[in-house]
Amino acid sequence: MLVPLYDIFGDNLVKQVGVNSGRYKFTSVKGMPYIEIDDKELRITLDIAGQIAERLEKNKKRVIPLSGNDKKPVEKVLTCFRFSPSDSISTVLKKFDLNSGPCEIDSLPSFIKPEFYEYGRVPGKPGGEKSKMRVDGRYIILAIAGWLLSRVGTAKMGNEWVGVHVFTTTRSLLYNAYGDFAGVKPETAFIILLAKRVIESNSNISSARVYLVSDAGGQNPTVILGGFTVDLSRFLENKELINDDLIYLAEDALKSDNENQGFNTKDFSTKVVNLVYEIINGSKKLEELLYFTNREVSMEVVSGKFKEFCKDCKAYCKAYYYSQKLIRDLA
């Protein structure tokens, strides 16, 4: 299938479909950018996206985020390809005919163009000029699939839960490790948890682009809240270092202050996670972590009350055990 690209956020979604299909290439037609995806591989990828959608539908969760204004363009796409507006997304993806020709649509749902805020207004244009785009309907179908393939879960930002999307240049199976993140700051802790999911999903992802998205709903459009690039190569080279102790510390670092009951160890865990991140990436020495973690528990070890201390101060003890592991594995 040959589909045009439009230099908008939706291109990331369509490209992820190509990446996950495995056999794709970028080309141009009359000077315009296109992506060409092998039909056989694309069929498999759309079926996988359909299975993700079906799982969400069975759990009565939203498959794609739609505001009130988004529903009309989606209905136009379905009608254009001879589906009923009442057909489920899973049905559309599984039964979409790859031989369908171009079908021009004169509007886009906001999850495909979230950079155009306030119902499609172009940032920086005086008077809030509307974004006028006509796109190939097949692009929207692929973008829906790409949304499902790139969505890896949600994360807490302040008092709001936001969507987390990960775009890669190699096939991603992260949708198999879908789940919530306690937060996104510090980024070091978030990256460690993401690396754990990459390993668990058997994905071979050395780098990725992460986007945090406020999902559409009611009269609110989809909005991009932030994005950053992550390098996972050193973590994948040292998989054995991402153990339960480090994961506990990363999750503790991501918790909001009001989630930490009793003795608050968030700042301590953040310091440890930052040091571990830098040690694994080669910019800090192991001795700095050893000094920091040993200092917090040294008196308890000497007094013989280490086990009792660990019941109330898990983060300190897990950091101590983890630093001892690094001595064995990295020294």
Side-chain angles (χ1 to χ4, degrees):
M1 180 182 288
L2 185 65
V3 177
L5 299 173
Y6 298 94
D7 193 25
I8 57 176
F9 180 77
D11 287 3
N12 294 304
L13 303 172
V14 173
K15 289 175 183 177
Q16 191 63 51
V17 173
V19 168
N20 268 41
S21 296
R23 296 178 62 185
Y24 71 101
K25 65 179 181 180
F26 297 111
T27 185
S28 64
V29 177
K30 296 181 179 179
M32 299 299 292
Y34 277 71
I35 184 171
E36 186 174 4
I37 307 174
D38 177 81
D39 281 357
K40 183 178 178 180
E41 299 298 331
L42 177 57
R43 179 69 272 155
I44 295 171
T45 303
L46 291 183
D47 285 344
I48 291 171
Q51 291 167 13
I52 299 171
E54 188 173 33
R55 185 168 66 241
L56 292 169
E57 290 160 359
K58 286 182 178 178
N59 292 326
K60 300 187 184 306
K61 294 183 178 180
R62 285 195 303 172
V63 178
I64 52 174
L66 298 176
S67 69
N69 286 8
D70 290 333
K71 293 176 181 177
K72 187 173 291 185
V74 172
E75 289 177 356
K76 285 183 179 179
V77 173
L78 298 185
T79 302
C80 191
F81 293 116
R82 299 183 179 179
F83 290 102
S84 164
S86 62
D87 283 335
S88 65
I89 294 298
S90 61
T91 297
V92 172
L93 293 173
K94 290 180 178 182
K95 294 186 176 181
F96 181 71
D97 184 0
L98 298 185
N99 293 317
S100 298
C103 179
E104 196 170 70
I105 304 297
D106 59 5
S107 58
L108 283 169
S110 64
F111 77 88
I112 295 178
K113 55 177 184 61
E115 64 268 50
F116 298 114
Y117 59 90
E118 293 181 10
Y119 314 113
R121 295 174 184 172
V122 180
K125 290 293 183 73
E129 181 182 331
K130 290 280 185 176
S131 156
K132 298 179 176 65
M133 292 189 68
R134 302 184 73 85
V135 302
D136 184 337
R138 298 174 302 170
Y139 177 93
I140 298 178
I141 297 294
L142 295 191
I144 291 172
W147 179 273
L148 293 164
L149 293 167
S150 64
R151 182 82 164 212
V152 301
T154 58
K156 193 78 175 289
M157 284 186 68
N159 295 319
E160 181 183 3
W161 284 94
V162 302
V164 180
H165 287 262
V166 177
F167 297 102
T168 62
T169 55
T170 54
R171 180 174 288 152
S172 171
L173 302 175
L174 280 170
Y175 52 82
N176 288 325
Y178 185 97
D180 295 332
F181 294 89
V184 293
K185 297 290 184 180
E187 285 182 11
T188 50
F190 175 86
I191 292 170
I192 286 170
L193 294 184
L194 181 60
K196 177 176 182 284
R197 293 195 189 185
V198 169
I199 294 167
E200 288 177 341
S201 67
N202 292 316
S203 298
N204 183 25
I205 301 170
S206 59
S207 63
R209 181 71 182 168
V210 177
Y211 282 98
L212 306 173
V213 178
S214 176
D215 290 337
Q219 293 305 307
N220 297 318
T222 301
V223 178
I224 297 175
L225 300 177
F228 50 93
T229 300
V230 298
D231 182 354
L232 301 167
S233 56
R234 295 297 291 271
F235 291 95
L236 298 185
E237 292 169 5
N238 297 278
K239 295 178 182 180
E240 70 282 355
L241 299 183
I242 306 179
N243 65 6
D244 290 343
D245 289 337
L246 181 58
I247 296 304
Y248 179 93
L249 293 164
E251 290 176 339
D252 190 48
L254 289 172
K255 287 180 180 176
S256 62
D257 289 333
N258 58 11
E259 289 180 290
N260 281 280
Q261 301 299 319
F263 191 51
N264 191 330
T265 54
K266 176 181 171 66
D267 290 343
F268 170 81
S269 294
T270 297
K271 175 72 172 177
V272 173
V273 166
N274 286 343
L275 283 171
V276 170
Y277 182 89
E278 293 182 283
I279 289 167
I280 291 177
N281 281 287
S283 57
K284 288 282 186 181
K285 292 185 177 180
L286 176 57
E287 288 75 15
E288 190 170 341
L289 175 67
L290 290 173
Y291 173 76
F292 182 70
T293 57
N294 288 354
R295 182 183 65 190
E296 299 298 333
V297 301
S298 57
M299 291 301 296
E300 308 304 329
V301 173
V302 172
S303 68
K305 297 180 179 179
F306 185 66
K307 288 185 178 180
E308 291 80 0
F309 174 75
C310 289
K311 291 179 182 178
D312 298 321
C313 305
K314 287 184 179 180
Y316 290 101
C317 295
K318 287 184 177 294
Y320 171 79
Y321 285 130
Y322 188 76
S323 65
Q324 298 305 307
K325 174 179 175 56
L326 288 190
I327 292 177
R328 297 191 300 271
D329 293 348
L330 295 182

Short mmCIF file of all heavy atoms in Angstrom, two decimals, residues 52-92:
data_model
loop_
_atom_site.label_atom_id
_atom_site.label_comp_id
_atom_site.label_asym_id
_atom_site.label_seq_id
_atom_site.Cartn_x
_atom_site.Cartn_y
_atom_site.Cartn_z
N ILE A 52 -5.57 -5.65 19.58
CA ILE A 52 -5.42 -4.70 20.68
C ILE A 52 -6.74 -3.96 20.90
O ILE A 52 -7.20 -3.79 22.03
CB ILE A 52 -4.29 -3.69 20.38
CG1 ILE A 52 -2.96 -4.42 20.21
CG2 ILE A 52 -4.18 -2.65 21.49
CD1 ILE A 52 -1.84 -3.53 19.69
N ALA A 53 -7.34 -3.51 19.80
CA ALA A 53 -8.62 -2.80 19.89
C ALA A 53 -9.70 -3.68 20.50
O ALA A 53 -10.49 -3.25 21.33
CB ALA A 53 -9.05 -2.32 18.50
N GLU A 54 -9.73 -4.95 20.08
CA GLU A 54 -10.74 -5.88 20.59
C GLU A 54 -10.58 -6.09 22.10
O GLU A 54 -11.58 -6.16 22.83
CB GLU A 54 -10.61 -7.21 19.86
CG GLU A 54 -11.73 -8.20 20.17
CD GLU A 54 -11.64 -9.43 19.30
OE1 GLU A 54 -10.51 -9.84 18.94
OE2 GLU A 54 -12.69 -9.97 18.95
N ARG A 55 -9.34 -6.15 22.56
CA ARG A 55 -9.09 -6.31 23.99
C ARG A 55 -9.62 -5.10 24.77
O ARG A 55 -10.23 -5.25 25.82
CB ARG A 55 -7.59 -6.50 24.24
CG ARG A 55 -7.24 -6.78 25.69
CD ARG A 55 -5.79 -7.24 25.82
NE ARG A 55 -4.84 -6.19 25.48
CZ ARG A 55 -3.97 -6.27 24.50
NH1 ARG A 55 -3.89 -7.34 23.73
NH2 ARG A 55 -3.12 -5.28 24.26
N LEU A 56 -9.40 -3.92 24.23
CA LEU A 56 -9.89 -2.71 24.88
C LEU A 56 -11.42 -2.67 24.88
O LEU A 56 -12.05 -2.29 25.87
CB LEU A 56 -9.33 -1.47 24.18
CG LEU A 56 -7.82 -1.25 24.31
CD1 LEU A 56 -7.37 -0.15 23.35
CD2 LEU A 56 -7.46 -0.88 25.74
N GLU A 57 -12.00 -3.07 23.76
CA GLU A 57 -13.46 -3.08 23.65
C GLU A 57 -14.09 -4.03 24.66
O GLU A 57 -15.10 -3.71 25.29
CB GLU A 57 -13.87 -3.46 22.22
CG GLU A 57 -13.54 -2.37 21.19
CD GLU A 57 -13.49 -2.89 19.76
OE1 GLU A 57 -13.68 -4.11 19.55
OE2 GLU A 57 -13.24 -2.08 18.85
N LYS A 58 -13.48 -5.20 24.84
CA LYS A 58 -14.01 -6.17 25.79
C LYS A 58 -13.93 -5.67 27.21
O LYS A 58 -14.78 -5.99 28.06
CB LYS A 58 -13.26 -7.50 25.66
CG LYS A 58 -13.61 -8.29 24.41
CD LYS A 58 -12.86 -9.61 24.36
CE LYS A 58 -13.28 -10.41 23.12
NZ LYS A 58 -12.54 -11.69 23.01
N ASN A 59 -12.91 -4.86 27.49
CA ASN A 59 -12.74 -4.28 28.83
C ASN A 59 -13.47 -2.95 28.97
O ASN A 59 -13.29 -2.24 29.98
CB ASN A 59 -11.26 -4.09 29.14
CG ASN A 59 -10.54 -5.42 29.29
OD1 ASN A 59 -11.12 -6.39 29.77
ND2 ASN A 59 -9.28 -5.47 28.88
N LYS A 60 -14.28 -2.63 27.94
CA LYS A 60 -15.08 -1.40 27.94
C LYS A 60 -14.23 -0.14 28.11
O LYS A 60 -14.58 0.80 28.83
CB LYS A 60 -16.17 -1.47 29.03
CG LYS A 60 -17.13 -2.64 28.85
CD LYS A 60 -18.27 -2.57 29.83
CE LYS A 60 -19.19 -3.78 29.72
NZ LYS A 60 -19.70 -4.02 28.35
N LYS A 61 -13.06 -0.14 27.45
CA LYS A 61 -12.18 1.02 27.46
C LYS A 61 -12.17 1.67 26.09
O LYS A 61 -12.43 1.02 25.08
CB LYS A 61 -10.76 0.60 27.85
CG LYS A 61 -10.64 0.10 29.28
CD LYS A 61 -9.19 -0.22 29.63
CE LYS A 61 -9.06 -0.68 31.07
NZ LYS A 61 -7.65 -0.99 31.42
N ARG A 62 -11.87 2.97 26.08
CA ARG A 62 -11.82 3.68 24.80
C ARG A 62 -10.69 3.15 23.93
O ARG A 62 -9.58 2.95 24.41
CB ARG A 62 -11.62 5.18 25.02
CG ARG A 62 -12.85 5.90 25.52
CD ARG A 62 -12.69 7.39 25.36
NE ARG A 62 -11.51 7.90 26.04
CZ ARG A 62 -11.08 9.15 25.92
NH1 ARG A 62 -11.70 9.99 25.12
NH2 ARG A 62 -10.01 9.55 26.59
N VAL A 63 -10.98 2.93 22.68
CA VAL A 63 -9.96 2.43 21.76
C VAL A 63 -9.11 3.60 21.24
O VAL A 63 -7.89 3.55 21.25
CB VAL A 63 -10.62 1.67 20.59
CG1 VAL A 63 -9.56 1.20 19.61
CG2 VAL A 63 -11.43 0.50 21.12
N ILE A 64 -9.76 4.63 20.77
CA ILE A 64 -9.08 5.85 20.35
C ILE A 64 -9.80 7.03 21.00
O ILE A 64 -11.02 6.99 21.20
CB ILE A 64 -9.06 6.02 18.81
CG1 ILE A 64 -10.46 5.87 18.23
CG2 ILE A 64 -8.10 5.03 18.18
CD1 ILE A 64 -10.54 6.16 16.75
N PRO A 65 -9.07 8.09 21.34
CA PRO A 65 -9.70 9.23 22.01
C PRO A 65 -10.39 10.14 21.00
O PRO A 65 -9.78 10.56 20.02
CB PRO A 65 -8.51 9.94 22.66
CG PRO A 65 -7.38 9.67 21.73
CD PRO A 65 -7.62 8.29 21.17
N LEU A 66 -11.64 10.43 21.23
CA LEU A 66 -12.39 11.28 20.32
C LEU A 66 -13.14 12.36 21.09
O LEU A 66 -13.83 12.07 22.06
CB LEU A 66 -13.39 10.46 19.50
CG LEU A 66 -12.83 9.36 18.58
CD1 LEU A 66 -13.96 8.60 17.93
CD2 LEU A 66 -11.91 9.96 17.54
N SER A 67 -12.98 13.59 20.65
CA SER A 67 -13.81 14.67 21.17
C SER A 67 -15.11 14.70 20.38
O SER A 67 -15.29 13.94 19.42
CB SER A 67 -13.07 16.01 21.02
OG SER A 67 -12.98 16.35 19.64
N GLY A 68 -16.02 15.57 20.76
CA GLY A 68 -17.27 15.70 20.02
C GLY A 68 -17.03 16.06 18.57
O GLY A 68 -17.72 15.57 17.66
N ASN A 69 -16.01 16.89 18.33
CA ASN A 69 -15.69 17.31 16.96
C ASN A 69 -14.97 16.25 16.16
O ASN A 69 -14.89 16.33 14.94
CB ASN A 69 -14.82 18.58 17.00
CG ASN A 69 -15.63 19.81 17.38
OD1 ASN A 69 -16.78 19.70 17.76
ND2 ASN A 69 -15.00 20.97 17.31
N ASP A 70 -14.40 15.25 16.85
CA ASP A 70 -13.62 14.22 16.16
C ASP A 70 -14.48 13.14 15.53
O ASP A 70 -14.04 12.43 14.63
CB ASP A 70 -12.66 13.54 17.15
CG ASP A 70 -11.53 14.46 17.58
OD1 ASP A 70 -11.18 15.37 16.80
OD2 ASP A 70 -10.99 14.25 18.68
N LYS A 71 -15.68 12.98 16.03
CA LYS A 71 -16.49 11.82 15.62
C LYS A 71 -16.91 11.90 14.15
O LYS A 71 -16.96 10.88 13.46
CB LYS A 71 -17.71 11.70 16.52
CG LYS A 71 -17.32 11.34 17.95
CD LYS A 71 -18.52 11.31 18.89
CE LYS A 71 -18.07 10.97 20.31
NZ LYS A 71 -19.19 10.99 21.27
N LYS A 72 -17.18 13.10 13.67
CA LYS A 72 -17.65 13.24 12.29
C LYS A 72 -16.60 12.78 11.27
O LYS A 72 -16.93 12.01 10.36
CB LYS A 72 -18.09 14.67 12.02
CG LYS A 72 -18.74 14.85 10.64
CD LYS A 72 -19.32 16.25 10.48
CE LYS A 72 -20.52 16.44 11.37
NZ LYS A 72 -21.17 17.77 11.11
N PRO A 73 -15.32 13.22 11.36
CA PRO A 73 -14.34 12.74 10.38
C PRO A 73 -14.12 11.24 10.43
O PRO A 73 -13.88 10.61 9.39
CB PRO A 73 -13.06 13.51 10.73
CG PRO A 73 -13.28 14.07 12.08
CD PRO A 73 -14.74 14.27 12.23
N VAL A 74 -14.20 10.64 11.63
CA VAL A 74 -14.05 9.20 11.73
C VAL A 74 -15.21 8.50 11.04
O VAL A 74 -15.03 7.51 10.32
CB VAL A 74 -13.94 8.75 13.21
CG1 VAL A 74 -13.98 7.23 13.31
CG2 VAL A 74 -12.66 9.28 13.83
N GLU A 75 -16.42 9.01 11.24
CA GLU A 75 -17.59 8.43 10.58
C GLU A 75 -17.47 8.55 9.06
O GLU A 75 -17.86 7.65 8.32
CB GLU A 75 -18.85 9.12 11.08
CG GLU A 75 -19.22 8.77 12.52
CD GLU A 75 -20.44 9.52 13.01
OE1 GLU A 75 -20.96 10.37 12.24
OE2 GLU A 75 -20.87 9.27 14.15
N LYS A 76 -16.91 9.67 8.59
CA LYS A 76 -16.72 9.85 7.15
C LYS A 76 -15.78 8.79 6.59
O LYS A 76 -16.01 8.25 5.51
CB LYS A 76 -16.15 11.25 6.86
CG LYS A 76 -17.15 12.38 6.99
CD LYS A 76 -16.48 13.70 6.61
CE LYS A 76 -17.48 14.86 6.70
NZ LYS A 76 -16.82 16.15 6.35
N VAL A 77 -14.71 8.51 7.32
CA VAL A 77 -13.75 7.50 6.88
C VAL A 77 -14.41 6.13 6.80
O VAL A 77 -14.25 5.40 5.81
CB VAL A 77 -12.53 7.45 7.83
CG1 VAL A 77 -11.62 6.28 7.46
CG2 VAL A 77 -11.75 8.75 7.77
N LEU A 78 -15.15 5.77 7.84
CA LEU A 78 -15.80 4.46 7.87
C LEU A 78 -16.78 4.33 6.71
O LEU A 78 -16.83 3.30 6.02
CB LEU A 78 -16.52 4.26 9.20
CG LEU A 78 -15.63 4.27 10.46
CD1 LEU A 78 -16.48 3.93 11.69
CD2 LEU A 78 -14.47 3.30 10.33
N THR A 79 -17.57 5.37 6.49
CA THR A 79 -18.55 5.34 5.41
C THR A 79 -17.86 5.26 4.05
O THR A 79 -18.31 4.52 3.15
CB THR A 79 -19.44 6.60 5.46
OG1 THR A 79 -20.09 6.66 6.73
CG2 THR A 79 -20.49 6.57 4.36
N CYS A 80 -16.76 5.97 3.92
CA CYS A 80 -16.02 5.99 2.66
C CYS A 80 -15.53 4.60 2.27
O CYS A 80 -15.49 4.25 1.09
CB CYS A 80 -14.84 6.95 2.79
SG CYS A 80 -14.03 7.31 1.23
N PHE A 81 -15.17 3.80 3.30
CA PHE A 81 -14.68 2.45 3.03
C PHE A 81 -15.75 1.38 3.28
O PHE A 81 -15.45 0.22 3.54
CB PHE A 81 -13.43 2.17 3.88
CG PHE A 81 -12.24 2.99 3.48
CD1 PHE A 81 -11.69 3.92 4.36
CD2 PHE A 81 -11.70 2.87 2.21
CE1 PHE A 81 -10.59 4.68 3.98
CE2 PHE A 81 -10.61 3.64 1.82
CZ PHE A 81 -10.06 4.55 2.72
N ARG A 82 -17.00 1.82 3.22
CA ARG A 82 -18.16 0.94 3.27
C ARG A 82 -18.33 0.19 4.59
O ARG A 82 -18.81 -0.95 4.62
CB ARG A 82 -18.13 -0.05 2.09
CG ARG A 82 -18.16 0.66 0.75
CD ARG A 82 -18.20 -0.32 -0.40
NE ARG A 82 -18.27 0.38 -1.68
CZ ARG A 82 -18.29 -0.22 -2.87
NH1 ARG A 82 -18.28 -1.55 -2.93
NH2 ARG A 82 -18.34 0.49 -3.97
N PHE A 83 -17.92 0.85 5.66
CA PHE A 83 -18.23 0.35 6.99
C PHE A 83 -19.39 1.16 7.54
O PHE A 83 -19.67 2.27 7.07
CB PHE A 83 -17.02 0.50 7.93
CG PHE A 83 -15.89 -0.43 7.62
CD1 PHE A 83 -14.76 0.02 6.95
CD2 PHE A 83 -15.94 -1.76 8.01
CE1 PHE A 83 -13.71 -0.83 6.65
CE2 PHE A 83 -14.89 -2.63 7.72
CZ PHE A 83 -13.78 -2.16 7.04
N SER A 84 -20.04 0.62 8.54
CA SER A 84 -21.09 1.36 9.22
C SER A 84 -20.45 2.18 10.34
O SER A 84 -19.49 1.72 10.97
CB SER A 84 -22.11 0.38 9.82
OG SER A 84 -22.91 1.03 10.78
N PRO A 85 -20.97 3.39 10.61
CA PRO A 85 -20.45 4.19 11.72
C PRO A 85 -20.53 3.46 13.06
O PRO A 85 -19.81 3.81 14.00
CB PRO A 85 -21.35 5.43 11.71
CG PRO A 85 -21.80 5.54 10.29
CD PRO A 85 -21.98 4.13 9.83
N SER A 86 -21.38 2.44 13.13
CA SER A 86 -21.52 1.68 14.37
C SER A 86 -20.53 0.52 14.47
O SER A 86 -20.43 -0.13 15.51
CB SER A 86 -22.95 1.14 14.51
OG SER A 86 -23.25 0.25 13.46
N ASP A 87 -19.78 0.24 13.39
CA ASP A 87 -18.80 -0.85 13.42
C ASP A 87 -17.68 -0.54 14.40
O ASP A 87 -17.23 0.61 14.50
CB ASP A 87 -18.21 -1.09 12.03
CG ASP A 87 -19.16 -1.85 11.12
OD1 ASP A 87 -20.02 -2.57 11.64
OD2 ASP A 87 -19.04 -1.69 9.89
N SER A 88 -17.23 -1.54 15.11
CA SER A 88 -16.14 -1.35 16.07
C SER A 88 -14.83 -1.14 15.35
O SER A 88 -14.66 -1.54 14.19
CB SER A 88 -16.02 -2.57 16.99
OG SER A 88 -15.63 -3.71 16.24
N ILE A 89 -13.88 -0.50 16.05
CA ILE A 89 -12.55 -0.26 15.47
C ILE A 89 -11.87 -1.59 15.17
O ILE A 89 -11.19 -1.75 14.15
CB ILE A 89 -11.69 0.59 16.41
CG1 ILE A 89 -12.29 2.00 16.55
CG2 ILE A 89 -10.26 0.68 15.90
CD1 ILE A 89 -12.35 2.79 15.27
N SER A 90 -12.05 -2.57 16.05
CA SER A 90 -11.42 -3.87 15.81
C SER A 90 -11.93 -4.50 14.52
O SER A 90 -11.15 -5.07 13.74
CB SER A 90 -11.69 -4.82 16.99
OG SER A 90 -13.07 -5.05 17.17
N THR A 91 -13.21 -4.36 14.25
CA THR A 91 -13.79 -4.89 13.01
C THR A 91 -13.21 -4.17 11.79
O THR A 91 -12.86 -4.80 10.79
CB THR A 91 -15.31 -4.73 13.03
OG1 THR A 91 -15.86 -5.51 14.10
CG2 THR A 91 -15.93 -5.19 11.71
N VAL A 92 -13.12 -2.85 11.88
CA VAL A 92 -12.60 -2.05 10.77
C VAL A 92 -11.17 -2.45 10.44
O VAL A 92 -10.82 -2.66 9.27
CB VAL A 92 -12.68 -0.55 11.11
CG1 VAL A 92 -11.97 0.28 10.04
CG2 VAL A 92 -14.14 -0.10 11.25
#
